Amino acid sequence: MVQIKKTPRGEKRKGFYIMMKFFQRLGKALMLPVACLPVCGILMGIGYILAPAAMAGEVQGFTAGGLSYSIGLFLIKAGGALIDNMSWLFAIGVAVGMADDSDGTAGLAGLGSWLMITNLLSTANVSVIRTLSEDATLAFDKIQNPFIGIIAGIIGAMCYNKFKGTKLPDWLSFFSGKRCVAIVAGVVSIIVSVVLLFVWPIVFTGLVMLGEGIANLGAIGAGLYAFFNRLLIPFGLHHALNNVFWFDTIGLGDLTHFWAGDTSADVTWSLGMYMSGFFPCMMFGVPGAALAMVHTAKPGKKQAAIGLVASAAIAAFVCGVTEPFEFGFMFLAPALYLVYALLYGIFSVVTTLVGFRAGFSFSAGATDLIFSASLPAAQNTWMIIPLGIAAFIIFYVVFRFA
């Protein structure tokens, strides 16, 4: 019998396939929590139409109060209950989805892991252990993000798969089997928290520095920002860049100045340039990409594809909620997601150069576009039509080909 010796290349190839299999499994597991998101986006979109004053305090020409406002605000809060707590959904959904038999014990372990990590790494608790700089404080303020939810879900699933059949001595038999999973997950979560205690602020601060570096590059900078914004969403790290460009972290505050009624004459950049490029992509590009996914789906999968992406496309158009669409394929097809992020960057450059300016207080959907159009910094909002048509066609063609 001849033994075949494995070559280093064969080992690398095997490792690559194992890694890809892991990410594909993770992508499928994400379908469970992602399925909860489209209805939230639709509810929030309808809510903002009924209660525009809820967008940014008081929108010009609209005041709070009345039946319409009450119903709208109710819908906004209903949708926001899940959108704002997406990391909880990922912690539980990923854990259950990646468990060998989709047992709820894994979901409980994932939730416990998320609660432990986010509590240990909260700014209040970390500040007791070590002195925090301003950047580190900002980093730990954003610890409750989807990336941590996914990590917690993976911890819950892996601990379940490994320890669900554990046998303990008779005097500890109560904690045998599935009952020990949450305990082991808790220990693992503490170890992960110790690692993140030092790693998280470095990563977060690095992204803030990246934002500062591209803030002076004009239209190219706006494109780079949009590209990295989309690219970092799977890890929840886009908050670092958002704080640089949308709020007053380094003296920019594109979003806050826009809704405060300022104009480009009041700031040192073209006001709205770090928000405008998202509108054609979210309102028209995502529906175009969704249509391409439906057209390229296998005959037996078309109805499932329509069910997944149709509501996601509506959510993106109405109120700019793109997570239901993005988390549906980012881990299953990372190369395609890279192309998706690149398209955002390109359209942000184009919108900056052609002078289209619009702003959002929630996200770049039709609702925010309509009500930001009356603000002083808004310019050439009619251009959403040609830009939107171009985005729809380009996203459709690129996704159809890819």
Side-chain angles (χ1 to χ4, degrees), residues 9 50 75 123 136 143 195 208 238 311 389:
R9 175 179 291 183
L50 295 175
L75 294 176
T123 306
I143 197 64
V195 175
V208 172
H238 57 298
S311 56
I389 293 173

Side-chain angles (χ1 to χ4, degrees), residues 41-60:
I42 294 172
L43 286 173
M44 295 179 78
I46 297 172
Y48 279 121
I49 292 174
L50 295 175
M55 275 180 146
E58 296 289 330
V59 177
Q60 292 184 359

Side-chain angles (χ1 to χ4, degrees), residues 93-130:
V94 169
V96 173
M98 295 191 72
D100 288 340
D101 50 7
S102 300
D103 194 280
T105 305
L108 182 63
L111 177 59
S113 176
W114 185 88
L115 291 170
M116 188 171 289
I117 293 174
T118 54
N119 185 56
L120 288 173
L121 297 181
S122 66
T123 306
N125 289 333
V126 173
S127 62
V128 175
I129 302 172
R130 52 179 288 197

Side-chain angles (χ1 to χ4, degrees), residues 26-43:
L26 175 61
K28 291 178 181 178
L30 283 168
M31 292 296 97
L32 184 60
V34 164
C36 301
L37 300 180
V39 66
C40 300
I42 294 172
L43 286 173

